[in-house]
C-alpha cells in the first residue's frame, strides 16, 4: 500500500447504544498512515438511542457542529484503535473509504481517469470519451519522464507545473518552461536521496499549466466545491449548493513564474503572501460568483459551464468506481478544486479527501458548519430519512446509480433535451426551510405508518 | 396655455442648443450628407426623404434617446428672470448652508495640505510616470503610506450639518404640538406621502410582477419571469431609452442589466469616448493630485475590505483617479447646489486670474465615495465604459446625496421623507428608537448617502438601482428603507 505522508488531524465520534458494540474510528495498519477518521455507529434499526458519543481533537467547525447535534455526546477516552483489521458492525459508519487515494492522489487519479477514458472510447466512442478531457495533460514523475519529454517537445514554449502527489496547501509546487529547470531539480532530489536512504522518493506529477485562466478583477481564482459520496457501488453522490471561489491576492501575469503567490490560490499560500490582509479573506461565495457570470455571459453559457462542472464530478467518480474498495460502512466528503479558463471550460485540479474545515471568516464558518450539519443529516445516524430524498438541506442528490433529474417544470437551457440534472451549484440555499419541511413530513409519515 | 407653449419652446430651444455641440449632431450631419447618394432621396422631397431614411436606419431612435436623456437630466426652466443660482438651488438659506459647508471642507483640505506639506497638485517626474503606467492595471498592489491622510469628511459630519439646518422664515416654536416634527431634520420641505408615493411608483404595486420577488424559486417562471425577460430583449432590440426606463421599473434580468443601464443613460462606447478616457488617463500619469491619496485611502478603507468588492480594487482606482481630472463633470454644477472649490496658484491667493477648480472635476471625495463605483464593476469590465457609466450616474443621481438642496431627490428631502414615513406608519418603532436614544435617521443616514452600496447584497442593490434609473429619482432609497425595516432589520436595530 502506498505511503501517505500527510499528517492528519483526527476527530472521532461514536455512539453509545444499548448494545456494547459499534465504535468507529479508522486507523489504518501500523506501517502507514494516520487518517482523519470519523467513526459513527448507528443504533440497531429504528431503536431509540440514548445518545451518540463522539470525540474530536479539532476545536473548530466540526466540534461546534457535533456538540450542537441533539443526542450526541462528547467522550474523553477511546475504546479501540485499529479498525482496519477488525470487523465492523452493520451499524457502524466511517467517514473515509479505505483507498480514497485512488481519487485524491494526483498520480493515481490521472491513471484512473486515463484508463476510464480509454474504456469509454472503446464502449461509447470518441465523443463520449472526450467528456473526460477535463484534466490537463499530466505525467507521473519520474516513471513517465520520457513520455513527458516527448509531449514537451511537441509544444515548445508552454508552461508546465510540477506538483508533489501527496502534499497539500500548495507546498512543493513550482512552474517551469524549460527542461533545464527540471533537470536541475532532478539532480537536486537525486543527490539528496543518496544521502538519506530512509526518506522515500516523493512522487511528482508534471501537468500542463492552464495559461488562460478566467480572471476577475485581474485576479486568478479557483473553485472549491463539496461532493458527498455515500457509496460507490452503486454510485450515490450528493452535491452541496454552496462553495467558494478562492482568489489570488496578486494580479495574474505569466511573466512571473517564480512568483508562487500569483499562481497558487490556496488560502494557505495566500496567507503568507506579503500582500495578504487577513480582513480581506479573498473568497467569494459561489452564489456571488454565479451572479457575476450571469451578468457577464448569456444564461445558456453559464448553464453549460455548470453542466460541464457536474460532468467532472460524475466522470471522476465513475473512473474510480471499480477500484475503490466498496464498503457499506463508508462515506466521504470530498473537496473538489476546479479552475475555469477564459473559454468558460472547467478543469479539474484535484480532489481532496480531507478538505479544510477551518473557517477563515464568519461567512466561511457558517458555510462549513452548515455543510457538516447537512453531511450528518444525509449520513442519517438517527435513521430519519426514507432513502428516497433528492434533497437534504444544502445537498442535492446528483447521481443515484444514474443521473437524477430535477422536478418537472424546470427550464432546460443546456439544450440537452428534456433532462435537467438535479444540481444547483451556486444557487439559492434555503436549507433551513427545506430541512424543516423535510423533517416535519418525515415525522408525519412515521406517525401515519405506526 | 400660452405659458405652456412658451415653456415648451424654451425647453426645445435649450435641448437643441445642447445637442448642437454634441457628437451626435455632427454624426447626423455626416449621415445626412452621405444619404444624398442614395437613390431614394429625391430633391423635390428632400426633407421628408432624409427624415424617412433616419427613421429606417435607426438614427432617429438615437436622436430620440439623446433628447430623452437631456430631458431626464436637465431641470425644467424656471422663471425667465430667475438668476442662475436659482437653477442650482432656489432657497436662499439652503444655498448659504451649502456655501458654508463647502468652506469648511476646503479649509479642512487646505490644512491637511499644509500639515503634511504636500502640494495640492504636482507634476510627476518621468521615472514616476513610467512606473505608474506599468502599474496601471494593478494599482491596488501599491502600498503607499497613507497613515497621515484622513478622509476630508464622513457622512456623519454631513448629517450634523443637515440637522442644524433652519429656515429663518419658519416659526419653530419651542412648545410641542402635534405638528412638531420629532425627527432630526427640521426644515419644512414638501415630501410625498403614501398616497402620492403610490401614485408615483405605481409599477411597484403588489399586483404587478417584480424581479427580486416574483422570480424566486417558488414562483413558476411562466407567471412572470419568462415574459418579462422576453420584453426586455425586445426593448434592447429596439434600442429605445424611454421604453427601457419604463421597463426597468419592474427590475432588470441579470443578463440584460448592463445593456439596459447603458441604454437608459444613453451611453454607447464611441471611439471618441475611449479616446477621452485615455486622455484622462494621461492626465493621471502626468500629474499627481492630493485628492489621489484621499481616493487611495478611501478605497483601501472601504471597498478593499468589503467581502465582495475587494476583487475590483484596481478598477476603482482606474475610474476614480480619472474622474477627479474630468472637467466635463463641471457642467453639472449648473443644477447642483454645490459649487466647485477654487484653488489659487501659489502666491496668488485671491487673484481670480490664477484661480483653478480643485480638483479639476470639482468633486472632493469623502469617506465611502468609492462605494458608488464598486457595484458597477459587477456589470462593466471595460474601463472606459465603466467610467462613462459611473460619471453619468454621478451627474444624474449621486451628487444629490451629498449636497444641501431642496430638490425632492436631494438628501435633505430623502431624510425628511424617511423620517415622516417612519413616524406616520411605523410610529411604535420610531418612538421606541427615540426612547433608547437611537434616532432612526442616524442609523439610516449612512445607508442612504451611499445609496445602500456596501449595505445590501449586490443582487439586491442592483435591483434597487434599477428602480432609481427607472423612476429617475432617489426617493426610492427612503421608501425602501421603510419597507425593509418591517422585516429583518427590526431585530437588527433592536
Amino acid at each position: 500500500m502506498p505511503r501517505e505522508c500527510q499528517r492528519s488531524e483526527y476527530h472521532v465520534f461514536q455512539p453509545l447504544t444499548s448494545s456494547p458494540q459499534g465504535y468507529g474510528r479508522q486507523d489504518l495498519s501500523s506501517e502507514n498512515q494516520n487518517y482523519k477518521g470519523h467513526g459513527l455507529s448507528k443504533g440497531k434499526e429504528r431503536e431509540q438511542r440514548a445518545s451518540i458519543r463522539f470525540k474530536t481533537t479539532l476545536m473548530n467547525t466540526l466540534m461546534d457542529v457535533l456538540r450542537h447535534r441533539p443526542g450526541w455526546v462528547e467522550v474523553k477516552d477511546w475504546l479501540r484503535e485499529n479498525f482496519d483489521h477488525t470487523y465492523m458492525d452493520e451499524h457502524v459508519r466511517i467517514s473515509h473509504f479505505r483507498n480514497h487515494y485512488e481519487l485524491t492522489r494526483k498520480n493515481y487519479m490521472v491513471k484512473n481517469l486515463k484508463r476510464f477514458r480509454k474504456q469509454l472510447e472503446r464502449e461509447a466512442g470518441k465523443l463520449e470519451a472526450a467528456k473526460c478531457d477535463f484534466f490537463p495533460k499530466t505525467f507521473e514523475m519520474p516513471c513517465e519522464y520520457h513520455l513527458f519529454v516527448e509531449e514537451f517537445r511537441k509544444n515548445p514554449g508552454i508552461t508546465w507545473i510540477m506538483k508533489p502527489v501527496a502534499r497539500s496547501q500548495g507546498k512543493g509546487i513550482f512552474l517551469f518552461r524549460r527542461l533545464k529547470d527540471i533537470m536541475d531539480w532532478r539532480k537536486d532530489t537525486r543527490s539528496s536521496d543518496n544521502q538519506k536512504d530512509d526518506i522515500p522518493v516523493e512522487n511528482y506529477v508534471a501537468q500542463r499549466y492552464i495559461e488562460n485562466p478566467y480572471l476577475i478583477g485581474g485576479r486568478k481564482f479557483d473553485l472549491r466545491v463539496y461532493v458527498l459520496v455515500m457509496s460507490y457501488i452503486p454510485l450515490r453522490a450528493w452535491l452541496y449548493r454552496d462553495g467558494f471561489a478562492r482568489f489570488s491576492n496578486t494580479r495574474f501575469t505569466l511573466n512571473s513564474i517564480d512568483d508562487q503567490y500569483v499562481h497558487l490560490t490556496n488560502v494557505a499560500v495566500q496567507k503568507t503572501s506579503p500582500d495578504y490582509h487577513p480582513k480581506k479573506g479573498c473568497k467569494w461565495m459561489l452564489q456571488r460568483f454565479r451572479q457575476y457570470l450571469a451578468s457577464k455571459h448569456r444564461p445558456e453559457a453559464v448553464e453549460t459551464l455548470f453542466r460541464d462542472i457536474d460532468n467532472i464530478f460524475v466522470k471522476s467518480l465513475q473512473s474510480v468506481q471499480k477500484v475503490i474498495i466498496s464498503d457499506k460502512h463508508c462515506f466521504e466528503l470530498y473537496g473538489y478544486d476546479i479552475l475555469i479558463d477564459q473559454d468558460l471550460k472547467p478543469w479539474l485540479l484535484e480532489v481532496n479527501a480531507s478538505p479544510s474545515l477551518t473557517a477563515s471568516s464568519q461567512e466561511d464558518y457558517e458555510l462549513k458548519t452548515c455543510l457538516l450539519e447537512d453531511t450528518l443529516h444525509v449520513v442519517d445516524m438517527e435513521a430519519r430519512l426514507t432513502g428516497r430524498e433528492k434533497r437534504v438541506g444544502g445537498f442535492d442528490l446528483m447521481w443515484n446509480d444514474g443521473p437524477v433529474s430535477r422536478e418537472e417544470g424546470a427550464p432546460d437551457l443546456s439544450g440537452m433535451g428534456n433532462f435537467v440534472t438535479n444540481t444547483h451549484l451556486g444557487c439559492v440555499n434555503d436549507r433551513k426551510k427545506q430541512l424543516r419541511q423535510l423533517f416535519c413530513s418525515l415525522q408525519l409519515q412515521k406517525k401515519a405508518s405506526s | 396655455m400660452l405659458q405652456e407653449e412658451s415653456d415648451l419652446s424654451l425647453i426645445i430651444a435649450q435641448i437643441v442648443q445642447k445637442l448642437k455641440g454634441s457628437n451626435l449632431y455632427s454624426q447626423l450631419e455626416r449621415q445626412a450628407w452621405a444619404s444624398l447618394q442614395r437613390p431614394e432621396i429625391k430633391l423635390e422631397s428632400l426633407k421628408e426623404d432624409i427624415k424617412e431614411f433616419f427613421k429606417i436606419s435607426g438614427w432617429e431612435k438615437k436622436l430620440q434617446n439623446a433628447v430623452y436623456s437631456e430631458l431626464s437630466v436637465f431641470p425644467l426652466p424656471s422663471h425667465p428672470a430667475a438668476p442662475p443660482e436659482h437653477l442650482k438651488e432656489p432657497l436662499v438659506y439652503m444655498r448659504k448652508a451649502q456655501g458654508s459647508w463647502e468652506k469648511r471642507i476646503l479649509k479642512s483640505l487646505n490644512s491637511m495640505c499644509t500639515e503634511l506639506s504636500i502640494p495640492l497638485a504636482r507634476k510627476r517626474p518621468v521615472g514616476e510616470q513610467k512606473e505608474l503606467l506599468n502599474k496601471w492595471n494593478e494599482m491596488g498592489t501599491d502600498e503607499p503610506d497613507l497613515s497621515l491622510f484622513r478622509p476630508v469628511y464622513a457622512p456623519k459630519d454631513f448629517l450634523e450639518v443637515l440637522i442644524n439646518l433652519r429656515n429663518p422664515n419658519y416659526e419653530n416654536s419651542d412648545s410641542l404640538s402635534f405638528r412638531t416634527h420629532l425627527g432630526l431634520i427640521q426644515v419644512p420641505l414638501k415630501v410625498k406621502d403614501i398616497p402620492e408615493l403610490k401614485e408615483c411608483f405605481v409599477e411597484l404595486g403588489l399586483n404587478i410582477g417584480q424581479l427580486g420577488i416574483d422570480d424566486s424559486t417558488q414562483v413558476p417562471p411562466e407567471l412572470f419571469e419568462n415574459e418579462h425577460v422576453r420584453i426586455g430583449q425586445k426593448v434592447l432590440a429596439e434600442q429605445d431609452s424611454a421604453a427601457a426606463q419604463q421597463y426597468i421599473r419592474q427590475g432588470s434580468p441579470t443578463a440584460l442589466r448592463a445593456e439596459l443601464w447603458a441604454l437608459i443613460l444613453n451611453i454607447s462606447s464611441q471611439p471618441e469616448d475611449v479616446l477621452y478616457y485615455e486622455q484622462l488617463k494621461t492626465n493621471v500619469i502626468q500629474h499627481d493630485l492630493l485628492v489621489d491619496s484621499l481616493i487611495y485611502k478611501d478605497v483601501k478603507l472601504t471597498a478593499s475590505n468589503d467581502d465582495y468588492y475587494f476583487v475590483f480594487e484596481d478598477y476603482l482606482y482606474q475610474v476614480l483617479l480619472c474622474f477627479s481630472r474630468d472637467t466635463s463633470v463641471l457642467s453639472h454644477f449648473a443644477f447642483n447646489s454645490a459649487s466647485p472649490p477654487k484653488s489659487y496658484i501659489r502666491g496668488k491667493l485671491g487673484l481670480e486670474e490664477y484661480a483653478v477648480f480643485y480638483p479639476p472635476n470639482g468633486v472632493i471625495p469623502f469617506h465611502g465615495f468609492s462605494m458608488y463605483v464598486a457595484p458597477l464593476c459587477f456589470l462593466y469590465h471595460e474601463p472606459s465604459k465603466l467610467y462613462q457609466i459611473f460619471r453619468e450616474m454621478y451627474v444624474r443621481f449621486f451628487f444629490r446625496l451629498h449636497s444641501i438642496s431642496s430638490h425632492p431627490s436631494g438628501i435633505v428631502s430623502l431624510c425628511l421623507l424617511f423620517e415622516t414615513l417612519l413616524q406616520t406608519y411605523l410610529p411604535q418603532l420610531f418612538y421606541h428608537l427615540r426612547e433608547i436614544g437611537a434616532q432612526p435617521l442616524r442609523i439610516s443616514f449612512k445607508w442612504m448617502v451611499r445609496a445602500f452600496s456596501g449595505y445590501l447584497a449586490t443582487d439586491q442593490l442592483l435591483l434597487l438601482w434599477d428602480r432609481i434609473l427607472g423612476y429617475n429619482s432617489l426617493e426610492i432609497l427612503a421608501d425602501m428603507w421603510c419597507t425593509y425595516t418591517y422585516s429583518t432589520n427590526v431585530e437588527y436595530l433592536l
Side-chain angles (χ1 to χ4, degrees), chain B residues 214-384:
Chain B
D214 300 305
D215 58 340
S216 67
T217 41
Q218 285 81 29
V219 181
E222 301 83 60
L223 273 179
F224 167 67
E225 195 184 349
N226 286 349
E227 183 61 19
H228 192 66
V229 173
R230 205 185 57 81
I231 298 179
Q233 285 161 338
K234 206 156 169 231
V235 167
L236 280 175
E238 291 292 307
Q239 285 289 296
D240 188 330
S241 271
Q245 194 166 335
Q246 180 65 33
Y247 169 77
I248 212 174
R249 292 179 179 188
Q250 290 172 273
S252 163
T254 320
L256 306 178
R257 182 174 280 124
E259 286 178 61
L260 277 171
W261 283 23
L263 182 56
I264 295 173
L265 297 169
N266 204 30
I267 306 266
S268 56
S269 259
Q270 304 288 326
E272 302 83 38
D273 303 315
V274 179
L275 216 62
Y276 188 77
Y277 176 75
E278 290 298 317
Q279 181 65 42
L280 291 174
K281 177 176 162 184
T282 319
N283 291 347
V284 177
I285 306 276
Q286 286 178 344
H287 290 91
D288 178 28
L289 300 178
L290 178 68
V291 197
D292 291 352
S293 305
L294 295 176
I295 290 171
Y296 261 105
K297 180 110 191 184
D298 187 45
V299 173
K300 290 282 182 208
L301 284 177
T302 55
S304 294
N305 273 330
D306 188 286
D307 279 333
Y308 294 119
Y309 299 127
F310 71 88
V311 177
F312 302 122
E313 191 184 339
D314 299 329
Y315 289 144
L316 297 179
Y317 297 121
Q318 290 174 10
V319 168
L320 289 168
L321 292 178
C322 290
F323 182 65
S324 38
R325 281 133 175 100
D326 193 346
T327 47
S328 70
V329 175
L330 291 172
S331 59
H332 93 283
F333 284 107
F335 47 87
N336 182 354
S337 62
S339 300
K342 277 207 204 136
S343 172
Y344 299 87
I345 308 289
R346 189 173 293 206
K348 310 281 185 192
L349 192 68
L351 299 174
E352 282 310 311
E353 311 90 75
Y354 294 96
V356 288
F357 291 127
Y358 186 84
N361 71 341
V363 180
I364 297 186
F366 56 90
H367 178 68
F369 192 83
S370 54
M371 292 304 277
Y372 287 140
V373 191
L376 301 174
C377 297
F378 243 75
L379 301 174
Y380 304 99
H381 315 97
E382 209 267 292
S384 72

Side-chain angles (χ1 to χ4, degrees), chain A residues 94-97 100 227-230 232 330-334 353:
Chain A
I94 280 178
S95 69
H96 280 292
F97 285 91
H100 68 67
V227 175
L228 174 63
V229 176
M230 292 303 294
Y232 274 97
C330 303
F331 68 92
E332 205 155 23
L333 179 68
Y334 295 112

